């Protein structure tokens, strides 16, 4: 969503219709750059002011956010001066992304006073400045010292000055507009870049919309256009702004920008609330996913290192039988070793009496050389007895972690992520953050309600979205005659087809469930995927006892194309 001066203009118009004369009930700051103002104006509203550099905006919302126990200083200042006050005016400055909200407050002597919040939604320069009736700064969200900016200082007790801006199109006549184009030094600049650089509040999205309405390409140089075309652009910009005044505009669902001169009942604030609420949920989900994957990859990296050591040990153990044979052959030929030598060739009675050369240590006696090989054999035998099950254990653990990573990547809501986080804490892959621990709800949501559910040809199909759900599907929900499906040799969801009869499940139902299993696996982008399936009674918990890991027998395989 492009939040430019035109969108700011539309928001300002709607704020005037909805919250003018509203009373300020409460002010909070969910973060250091966000301000929530709770207003009653016939009904309750939350005015959200966000000065984050990447998402500066202002709009009305229904979404409440939790605030820190200790509010920031700026929040305390606003509470002191504005709680209980009345909104008397909302205006936009020169069609730019600057909104001023005026409040009627009372002094300690009960005299009426005007104080204002000036919200500057300007990328990394975004700020919220609180001023008195003489435009003296009381405080600001960000303090801008001369060291930070030599152009404009924003500090308490200084006079507020507006940022340096461009021209206001609303105050530009046709003749001034045409003269400015004619006097432009760079006549090869595109018409879109010229308008954006010359006037406040114009974004590429807005200008593209205007130029397309008059059939002019956005990259067209200004020196190739004639006066009639310039005037057409001017008129269409004026008409677009008038359509906002007359509430004749919509928001395009694809471009997420305004469409002008059309009848629509869409509220700009309602759209922004829905859009930014969903966007924030997506960002929160992505942050949770990235954090968990980063944490679990640390464990995976450590396990891979241990697995390499185990494999190296097993590779070394491949020589242990040779050391045993060397020891036995040396013991059988001690009588031949009268002088110290670096090797001896003897007949290997384990291999049809073929000659074999055995390396020797000159510093050791023949008997000591023999014992040296027996000790090497014994050591490697012990290493082998430890490393072989250790390798299998590590491989199972890495397989489990891969299934966790797949589950995290497949999550589409925070509840599923929290389930996985709980599982990882239980399995001791990550630590619980005691400082953020909240009161847990004693009534846990039934896992079955969280499962993805499909129906096909009268059969019910359940899909697990994480290992806890997979565990539930395979060992609690599934009955002996139900059909269990899973992608072959890759992480994926467990799928079951419920079968309450003794009649075999039709092939087309199995194929449909197999496509679901393929689509809920790491191989979902492959053209063909092998899916194993068997009755639930043949699915057993894995010896490692890790959630979601199973062993299965008596299975068949079907090859399908993911949905």
């Amino acid at each position: 969503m492009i939040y430019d001066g035109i969108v700011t203009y539309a928001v300002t118009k709607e704020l005037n219709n909805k919250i003018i004369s509203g009373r300020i009930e409460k002010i909070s700051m969910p973060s250091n750059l966000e301000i929530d103002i709770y207003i009653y104006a016939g009904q309750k509203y939350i005015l959200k002011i966000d000065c984050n550099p990447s998402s500066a905006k202002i709009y009305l919302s229904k979404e409440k956010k939790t605030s820190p126990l200790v509010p920031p200083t700026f929040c305390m200042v606003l509470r002191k001066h504005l709680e209980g006050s009345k909104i008397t005016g909302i205006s936009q400055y020169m069609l730019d992304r600057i909104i001023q909200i005026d409040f009627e407050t009372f002094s300690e002597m009960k005299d009426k006073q005007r104080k204002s919040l000036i919200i500057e939604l300007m990328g990394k320069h975004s700020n919220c400045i609180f001023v008195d009736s003489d435009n003296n700064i009381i405080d600001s969200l960000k303090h801008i010292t001369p060291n930070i900016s030599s152009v404009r200082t924003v500090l308490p007790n200084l006079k507020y000055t507006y940022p340096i801006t461009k021209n206001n199109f609303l105050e530009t006549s046709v003749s001034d507009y045409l003269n400015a184009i004619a006097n432009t030094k760079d006549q090869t600049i595109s018409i879109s870049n010229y308008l954006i650089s010359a006037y406040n509040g114009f974004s590429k999205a807005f200008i593209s919309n205007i130029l397309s309405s008059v059939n002019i390409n956005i990259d067209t140089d200004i020196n190739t256009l004639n006066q009639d075309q310039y005037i057409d652009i001017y008129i269409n910009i004026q008409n677009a702004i008038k359509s906002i005044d007359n509430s004749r505009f919509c928001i395009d669902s694809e471009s997420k920008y305004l469409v002008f001169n059309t009848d629509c009942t869409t509220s700009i604030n309602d759209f922004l609330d829905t859009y930014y609420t969903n966007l924030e949920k997506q960002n929160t989900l992505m942050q949770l996913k990235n954090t968990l994957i980063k944490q679990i990859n640390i464990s995976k990296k450590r396990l891979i290192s241990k697995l390499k050591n185990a494999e190296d040990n097993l590779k070394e153990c491949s020589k242990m039988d040779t050391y045993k044979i060397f020891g036995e052959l040396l013991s059988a030929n001690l009588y031949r070793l009268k002088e110290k030598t670096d090797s001896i060739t003897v007949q290997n009675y384990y291999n049809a009496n073929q000659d074999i050369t055995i390396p020797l240590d000159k510093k050791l006696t023949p008997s000591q050389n023999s014992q040296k090989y027996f000790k090497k054999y014994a050591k490697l035998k012990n290493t082998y007895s430890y490393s072989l099950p250790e390798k299998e254990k590590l491989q199972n653990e890495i397989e489990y972690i891969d299934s966790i990573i797949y589950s995290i990547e497949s999550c589409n809501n925070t509840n599923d992520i929290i389930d996985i986080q709980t599982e990882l804490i239980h399995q001791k892959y990550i630590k619980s953050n005691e400082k953020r621990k909240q009161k847990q709800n004693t009534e846990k949501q039934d896992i079955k309600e969280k499962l993805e559910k499909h129906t096909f040809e009268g059969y019910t199909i359940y899909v697990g979205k994480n290992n806890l759900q997979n565990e539930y599907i395979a060992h609690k929900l599934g009955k002996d005659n139900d059909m269990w499906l899973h992608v072959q040799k890759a992480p994926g969801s467990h799928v079951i087809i419920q079968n309450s009869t003794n009649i075999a499940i039709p092939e087309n139902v199995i194929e449909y469930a197999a496509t679901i299993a393929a689509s809920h696996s790491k191989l979902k982008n492959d053209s063909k995927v092998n899916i194993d399936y068997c009755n639930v009674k043949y699915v057993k918990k894995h010896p490692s006892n890790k959630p979601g890991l199973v062993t299965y027998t008596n299975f068949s395989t079907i090859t399908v194309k993911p949905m």
Side-chain angles (χ1 to χ4, degrees):
M1 179 75 193
I2 307 299
Y3 203 110
D4 59 10
I6 304 302
V7 171
T8 306
Y9 184 83
V11 170
T12 305
K13 287 288 180 183
E14 196 167 294
L15 291 180
N16 271 288
N17 291 333
K18 289 189 173 183
I19 62 171
I20 207 74
S21 298
R23 291 282 177 186
I24 309 303
E25 294 185 330
K26 175 184 170 184
I27 298 173
S28 65
M29 285 184 62
S31 74
N32 287 333
L33 295 175
E34 294 176 278
I35 303 167
D36 285 358
I37 302 178
Y38 292 74
I39 303 164
Y40 183 79
Q43 67 180 80
K44 293 189 176 183
Y45 297 96
I46 303 172
L47 181 64
K48 289 193 173 288
I49 301 168
D50 186 349
C51 290
N52 278 291
S54 60
S55 59
K57 53 192 175 286
I58 179 171
Y59 62 98
L60 292 176
S61 175
K62 303 178 187 72
E63 197 74 17
K64 292 183 179 180
K65 278 189 175 183
T66 56
S67 300
L69 293 175
V70 180
T73 304
F74 188 59
C75 181
M76 297 298 288
V77 171
L78 294 182
R79 286 178 179 178
K80 176 184 175 182
H81 291 271
L82 295 183
E83 284 188 351
S85 65
K86 183 173 76 171
I87 297 174
T88 56
I90 304 170
S91 58
Q92 181 184 18
Y93 177 71
M94 291 184 65
L95 204 61
D96 209 343
R97 292 167 296 168
I98 302 172
I99 292 180
Q100 179 168 322
I101 304 176
D102 297 325
F103 302 87
E104 182 184 87
T105 65
F106 290 90
S107 68
E108 293 179 355
M109 302 301 293
K110 304 300 180 181
D111 295 326
K112 286 184 180 181
Q113 293 180 328
R114 179 181 65 81
K115 292 175 183 174
S116 304
L117 264 183
I118 301 172
I119 301 109
E120 301 174 353
L121 306 172
M122 311 182 84
K124 66 179 182 179
H125 303 296
S126 297
N127 206 347
C128 185
I129 300 130
F130 186 40
V131 300
D132 62 19
S133 57
D134 295 322
N135 266 14
N136 294 315
I137 298 173
I138 299 170
D139 202 355
S140 61
L141 189 66
K142 299 177 187 175
H143 289 183
I144 311 300
T145 65
N147 291 334
I148 297 173
S149 173
S150 58
V151 177
R152 182 168 170 257
T153 303
V154 179
L155 289 171
N157 301 318
L158 295 183
K159 203 80 170 175
Y160 172 79
T161 56
Y162 285 99
I164 297 172
T165 58
K166 295 170 279 190
N167 298 310
N168 181 3
F169 195 86
L170 293 176
E171 298 175 355
T172 302
S173 64
V174 176
S175 58
D176 289 341
Y177 161 77
L178 293 173
N179 287 335
I181 293 174
N183 294 327
T184 300
K185 291 180 181 179
D186 184 5
Q187 287 292 315
T188 60
I189 189 172
S190 68
I191 183 63
S192 58
N193 287 341
Y194 167 75
L195 291 170
I196 291 168
S197 63
Y199 296 98
N200 289 327
F202 289 177
S203 65
K204 191 170 183 179
F206 174 68
I207 294 303
S208 296
N209 188 311
I210 296 299
L211 294 179
S212 66
S213 67
V214 292
N215 298 317
I216 296 175
N217 189 289
I218 61 171
D219 296 321
T220 304
D221 293 348
I222 59 173
N223 61 5
T224 62
L225 299 174
N226 58 46
Q227 183 166 303
D228 289 340
Q229 288 174 306
Y230 289 141
I231 293 173
D232 283 344
I233 294 170
Y234 180 91
I235 291 170
N236 272 273
I237 292 174
Q238 291 283 4
N239 288 340
I241 296 171
K242 285 178 183 176
S243 73
I244 296 174
D245 293 332
N246 299 324
S247 299
R248 296 193 66 248
F249 68 95
C250 285
I251 299 98
D252 184 72
S253 58
E254 291 186 10
S255 67
K256 302 292 187 296
Y257 196 70
L258 308 182
V259 178
F260 304 101
N261 295 306
T262 181
D263 291 323
C264 188
T265 57
T266 303
S267 159
I268 182 71
N269 280 284
D270 287 349
F271 176 83
L272 292 174
D273 187 24
T274 302
Y275 174 80
Y276 285 117
T277 298
N278 291 337
L279 184 64
E280 188 168 339
K281 286 178 180 177
Q282 291 172 14
N283 291 340
T284 301
L285 178 64
M286 191 57 65
Q287 287 173 4
L288 285 171
K289 289 166 78 167
N290 290 339
T291 300
L292 277 186
I293 288 174
K294 185 177 179 180
Q295 289 175 318
I296 199 69
N297 271 330
I298 293 171
S299 296
K300 183 179 178 180
K301 188 176 180 181
R302 185 168 59 248
L303 290 171
I304 289 172
S305 177
K306 287 183 178 180
L307 179 62
K308 185 178 182 302
N309 290 337
E311 289 173 339
D312 290 344
N313 288 339
L314 289 172
K315 188 176 180 181
E316 182 67 23
C317 290
S318 64
K319 302 174 185 177
M320 67 180 181
D321 288 334
T322 302
Y323 292 150
K324 180 183 177 184
I325 291 170
F326 282 177
E328 291 180 351
L329 292 178
L330 281 175
S331 296
N333 290 275
L334 287 176
Y335 68 94
R336 294 180 55 194
L337 292 165
K338 295 179 180 178
E339 294 182 2
K340 291 184 176 182
T341 179
D342 57 5
S343 66
I344 183 174
T345 301
V346 298
Q347 289 183 334
N348 183 2
Y349 47 76
Y350 289 106
N351 189 21
N353 290 328
Q354 295 286 324
D355 285 349
I356 184 171
T357 300
I358 302 172
L360 299 174
D361 187 344
K362 284 184 178 182
K363 297 177 183 179
L364 303 178
T365 65
S367 178
Q368 287 172 332
N369 269 296
S370 175
Q371 290 303 313
K372 176 184 174 183
Y373 280 118
F374 281 130
K375 286 179 181 178
K376 279 188 174 183
Y377 165 72
K379 182 179 179 181
L380 290 178
K381 185 179 179 182
N382 288 335
T383 300
Y384 183 82
S385 65
Y386 166 77
S387 296
L388 188 62
E390 179 69 6
K391 177 186 175 182
E392 185 178 351
K393 176 187 172 186
L394 291 168
Q395 286 175 329
N396 290 334
E397 204 155 352
I398 290 170
E399 181 186 348
Y400 170 71
I401 284 180
D402 284 339
S403 73
I404 285 286
I405 291 172
Y406 167 74
S407 295
I408 294 170
E409 290 173 342
S410 303
C411 279
N412 52 21
N413 64 71
T414 52
N415 288 334
D416 288 342
I417 282 286
I418 291 169
D419 285 346
I420 295 172
Q421 193 173 36
T422 302
E423 177 188 345
L424 290 173
I425 291 170
H426 182 71
Q427 294 294 322
K428 298 182 179 178
Y429 284 106
I430 62 175
K431 293 181 180 179
S432 175
N433 191 340
E434 296 294 335
K435 291 181 180 178
R436 292 188 179 180
K437 200 178 254 188
Q438 308 249 340
K439 290 182 180 178
Q440 296 181 350
N441 191 348
T442 53
E443 296 181 4
K444 292 185 177 179
Q445 186 180 358
D446 187 356
I447 292 179
K448 188 175 180 180
E449 297 301 317
K450 298 181 182 180
L451 300 176
E452 185 177 315
K453 184 179 178 181
H454 299 259
T455 55
F456 183 74
E457 300 287 343
Y459 287 88
T460 301
I461 301 166
Y462 286 103
V463 184
K465 292 177 284 187
N466 55 54
N467 283 328
L468 293 178
Q469 294 179 19
N470 289 337
E471 184 87 357
Y472 174 79
I473 278 179
H475 305 300
K476 291 186 179 179
L477 180 64
K479 308 302 178 186
D480 285 355
N481 285 334
D482 292 347
M483 189 68 72
W484 175 89
L485 304 93
H486 193 278
V487 65
Q488 190 180 84
K489 297 178 181 178
S493 295
H494 291 220
V495 177
I496 64 162
I497 309 169
Q498 287 191 324
N499 184 16
S500 57
T501 69
N502 291 323
I503 302 171
I505 298 173
E507 287 295 322
N508 66 323
V509 177
I510 293 174
E511 183 177 353
Y512 179 79
T515 59
I516 293 174
S519 302
H520 289 73
S521 76
K522 197 171 184 179
L523 306 181
K524 61 186 175 184
N525 295 321
D526 290 4
S527 57
K528 292 182 179 180
V529 178
N530 290 332
I531 303 295
D532 292 338
Y533 63 95
C534 63
N535 289 119
V536 169
K537 62 185 175 183
Y538 298 119
V539 180
K540 308 296 180 187
K541 284 182 74 71
H542 195 276
S544 67
N545 210 32
K546 294 287 185 185
L549 292 188
V550 298
T551 60
Y552 53 95
T553 55
N554 297 69
F555 64 91
S556 301
T557 303
I558 183 173
T559 303
V560 296
K561 182 180 180 180
M563 285 182 171

